Amino acid sequence: MKIFKITMLAVSLGLMSFAIIKPINTIVEKEKSAVIVASVLWKAETIDVGEIPQGTPKKMVYEFTNTSKAVIIITNVQGSCGCTATDYTKTPIAAGAKGTVTATYNAASAGSFSKTVTVNLNDGLAPSVLTLKGVVKAVEAKI
């Protein structure tokens, strides 16, 4: 009897591992033979600003289009460090409409930089990670 109970438990657990789970449909539509796997299409996910002077903040604007058939909302935008301030479209973005995420790098330290901004939407998909990079050139002191 004990062996029968253990066998039934093993069979039950085995059958539960085959439960049908509805897959998340992340493929929204095709555009020019490219498959879009998100609710938004970014104009550019990386912006290289080249050389900028030290001490002069640099603002970068990332533009996107809502490629889904539903209204989306940006729920959170977070820079990778305190040196990057962010702002974004706070109103709901209708299907086919455009929105923006703005990142302002403070350029306090001379040298190369590469920072990221993570954008979360209400679509349940993985967040978008935007990159800003460039080189801050030290400003020569006037004597």
Side-chain angles (χ1 to χ4, degrees):
M1 188 68 170
K2 190 174 187 176
I3 293 176
F4 178 73
K5 288 181 181 179
I6 292 173
T7 304
M8 291 306 294
L9 178 63
V11 169
S12 297
L13 291 174
L15 290 174
M16 284 192 292
S17 67
F18 292 107
I20 298 174
I21 299 172
K22 183 179 177 183
I24 298 172
N25 185 9
T26 57
I27 300 175
V28 178
E29 60 184 271
K30 290 186 176 186
E31 179 177 278
K32 297 182 183 178
S33 76
V35 177
I36 299 170
V37 216
S39 296
V40 297
L41 179 62
W42 294 94
K43 184 174 180 182
E45 292 182 11
T46 299
I47 296 178
D48 187 342
V49 296
E51 291 185 2
I52 58 174
Q54 185 176 8
T56 304
K58 181 64 177 175
K59 183 166 111 175
M60 288 140 280
V61 179
Y62 298 87
E63 298 176 7
F64 66 90
T65 302
N66 177 355
T67 57
S68 73
K69 296 184 184 341
V71 172
I72 60 168
I73 298 170
I74 298 175
T75 57
N76 187 39
V77 175
Q78 181 69 46
S80 59
C81 70
C83 60
T84 307
T86 59
D87 195 16
Y88 56 92
T89 302
K90 296 187 176 57
T91 57
I93 302 133
K98 297 184 182 299
T100 61
V101 171
T102 303
T104 304
Y105 182 67
N106 72 5
S109 300
S112 297
F113 68 91
S114 180
K115 304 297 178 186
T116 59
V117 174
T118 303
V119 181
N120 292 284
L121 304 172
N122 68 332
D123 61 0
L125 300 176
S128 296
V129 179
L130 309 174
T131 303
L132 50 133
K133 60 184 178 177
V135 178
V136 176
K137 286 293 186 182
V139 178
E140 295 180 26
K142 294 182 180 180
I143 299 176

